[in-house]
Amino acid sequence: GAGASRSEGQVRDALRRADEVLSGLADEFAALVDAAALVDAEGLSPPGCYHAVIRVLARDALDTQAAVQLVLAQPTISSQLIDNLNASIHLRAVLTDLFLLDEVLGGQ
């Protein structure tokens, strides 16, 4: 009914926002690292590992984005489909990357 279609509309809106956020996620963290001057100009100091992790985040975000876009492409988004997206190793990887970076950068 109308409630179900409104609910699905909200899910689609949330997934579209997630898709947008995933697009710029790695760049945002790279800017934070650079702004905090954690990496020298050549990126070769020990903190250069920050950019290595950000490259991992970029790959994981891209993989997660592919899954989100697949769900968005479906004519109907069932709760089972969302459950499978939530269980995706790619989504879990990007969240773990974010937790790791947040913890490390929060300590800087």
Side-chain angles (χ1 to χ4, degrees):
S5 63
R6 186 174 73 236
S7 175
E8 184 173 337
Q10 292 171 334
V11 168
R12 283 189 185 279
D13 288 345
L15 288 171
R16 284 187 196 104
R17 286 194 308 274
D19 187 33
E20 289 174 19
V21 167
L22 288 163
S23 291
L25 199 56
D27 291 340
E28 290 292 328
F29 272 93
L32 284 173
V33 165
D34 292 341
L38 295 173
V39 180
D40 68 18
E42 293 81 34
L44 298 176
S45 66
C49 62
Y50 287 87
H51 283 304
V53 171
I54 289 168
R55 286 191 299 274
V56 171
L57 172 62
R59 285 192 305 268
D60 289 340
L62 193 62
D63 291 346
T64 303
Q65 201 172 15
V68 167
Q69 290 172 358
L70 177 66
V71 171
L72 278 169
Q74 303 313 302
T76 302
I77 299 177
S78 67
S79 60
Q80 181 65 41
L81 192 54
I82 292 300
D83 287 348
N84 288 329
L85 177 62
N86 286 336
S88 163
I89 192 71
H90 305 298
L91 180 60
R92 291 171 181 260
V94 81
L95 289 173
T96 304
D97 296 342
L98 291 174
F99 296 150
L100 176 65
L101 285 165
D102 180 62
E103 186 67 28
V104 169
L105 293 175
Q108 298 297 327

mmCIF file of all heavy atoms in Angstrom, residues 5 12-13 18 21 27 45 53 79 84:
data_model
loop_
_atom_site.group_PDB
_atom_site.id
_atom_site.type_symbol
_atom_site.label_atom_id
_atom_site.label_comp_id
_atom_site.label_asym_id
_atom_site.label_seq_id
_atom_site.Cartn_x
_atom_site.Cartn_y
_atom_site.Cartn_z
ATOM 1 N N SER A 5 5.032 1.863 -0.131
ATOM 2 C CA SER A 5 5.708 2.610 -1.196
ATOM 3 C C SER A 5 6.456 3.810 -0.618
ATOM 4 O O SER A 5 7.518 4.172 -1.097
ATOM 5 C CB SER A 5 4.721 3.043 -2.277
ATOM 6 O OG SER A 5 3.749 3.921 -1.749
ATOM 7 N N ARG A 12 15.105 4.088 -0.863
ATOM 8 C CA ARG A 12 15.789 4.533 -2.088
ATOM 9 C C ARG A 12 16.530 5.845 -1.859
ATOM 10 O O ARG A 12 17.656 6.010 -2.323
ATOM 11 C CB ARG A 12 14.798 4.677 -3.244
ATOM 12 C CG ARG A 12 14.395 3.366 -3.851
ATOM 13 C CD ARG A 12 13.581 3.540 -5.136
ATOM 14 N NE ARG A 12 13.118 2.245 -5.596
ATOM 15 C CZ ARG A 12 13.866 1.400 -6.295
ATOM 16 N NH1 ARG A 12 15.086 1.714 -6.638
ATOM 17 N NH2 ARG A 12 13.372 0.231 -6.661
ATOM 18 N N ASP A 13 15.898 6.781 -1.139
ATOM 19 C CA ASP A 13 16.563 8.058 -0.846
ATOM 20 C C ASP A 13 17.835 7.825 -0.036
ATOM 21 O O ASP A 13 18.879 8.421 -0.308
ATOM 22 C CB ASP A 13 15.624 9.000 -0.086
ATOM 23 C CG ASP A 13 14.519 9.563 -0.956
ATOM 24 O OD1 ASP A 13 14.620 9.476 -2.205
ATOM 25 O OD2 ASP A 13 13.543 10.099 -0.388
ATOM 26 N N ALA A 18 23.749 7.352 0.236
ATOM 27 C CA ALA A 18 24.922 6.501 0.488
ATOM 28 C C ALA A 18 25.801 6.431 -0.755
ATOM 29 O O ALA A 18 27.029 6.519 -0.663
ATOM 30 C CB ALA A 18 24.480 5.099 0.917
ATOM 31 N N VAL A 21 27.732 9.675 -0.999
ATOM 32 C CA VAL A 21 28.780 9.751 0.022
ATOM 33 C C VAL A 21 29.951 8.843 -0.335
ATOM 34 O O VAL A 21 31.114 9.230 -0.203
ATOM 35 C CB VAL A 21 28.208 9.399 1.417
ATOM 36 C CG1 VAL A 21 29.316 9.165 2.428
ATOM 37 C CG2 VAL A 21 27.266 10.490 1.898
ATOM 38 N N ASP A 27 38.395 10.718 -0.937
ATOM 39 C CA ASP A 27 38.934 12.066 -1.126
ATOM 40 C C ASP A 27 38.787 12.903 0.131
ATOM 41 O O ASP A 27 39.680 13.690 0.474
ATOM 42 C CB ASP A 27 38.244 12.760 -2.301
ATOM 43 C CG ASP A 27 38.607 12.145 -3.647
ATOM 44 O OD1 ASP A 27 39.645 11.456 -3.727
ATOM 45 O OD2 ASP A 27 37.845 12.355 -4.606
ATOM 46 N N SER A 45 57.052 9.747 4.314
ATOM 47 C CA SER A 45 57.308 9.619 5.743
ATOM 48 C C SER A 45 56.517 8.436 6.289
ATOM 49 O O SER A 45 55.604 7.953 5.627
ATOM 50 C CB SER A 45 56.899 10.904 6.461
ATOM 51 O OG SER A 45 55.502 11.076 6.369
ATOM 52 N N VAL A 53 46.149 3.344 3.265
ATOM 53 C CA VAL A 53 44.852 2.905 3.803
ATOM 54 C C VAL A 53 43.714 3.618 3.088
ATOM 55 O O VAL A 53 42.663 3.027 2.838
ATOM 56 C CB VAL A 53 44.795 3.127 5.334
ATOM 57 C CG1 VAL A 53 43.396 2.875 5.871
ATOM 58 C CG2 VAL A 53 45.798 2.227 6.024
ATOM 59 N N SER A 79 12.895 -6.176 1.834
ATOM 60 C CA SER A 79 13.682 -6.173 3.070
ATOM 61 C C SER A 79 14.788 -7.229 2.989
ATOM 62 O O SER A 79 15.886 -7.026 3.523
ATOM 63 C CB SER A 79 12.796 -6.399 4.289
ATOM 64 O OG SER A 79 12.131 -7.634 4.195
ATOM 65 N N ASN A 84 20.562 -8.515 2.617
ATOM 66 C CA ASN A 84 21.730 -9.029 1.895
ATOM 67 C C ASN A 84 22.756 -7.940 1.655
ATOM 68 O O ASN A 84 23.971 -8.193 1.742
ATOM 69 C CB ASN A 84 21.301 -9.674 0.577
ATOM 70 C CG ASN A 84 20.590 -10.987 0.793
ATOM 71 O OD1 ASN A 84 20.860 -11.704 1.747
ATOM 72 N ND2 ASN A 84 19.648 -11.289 -0.073
#
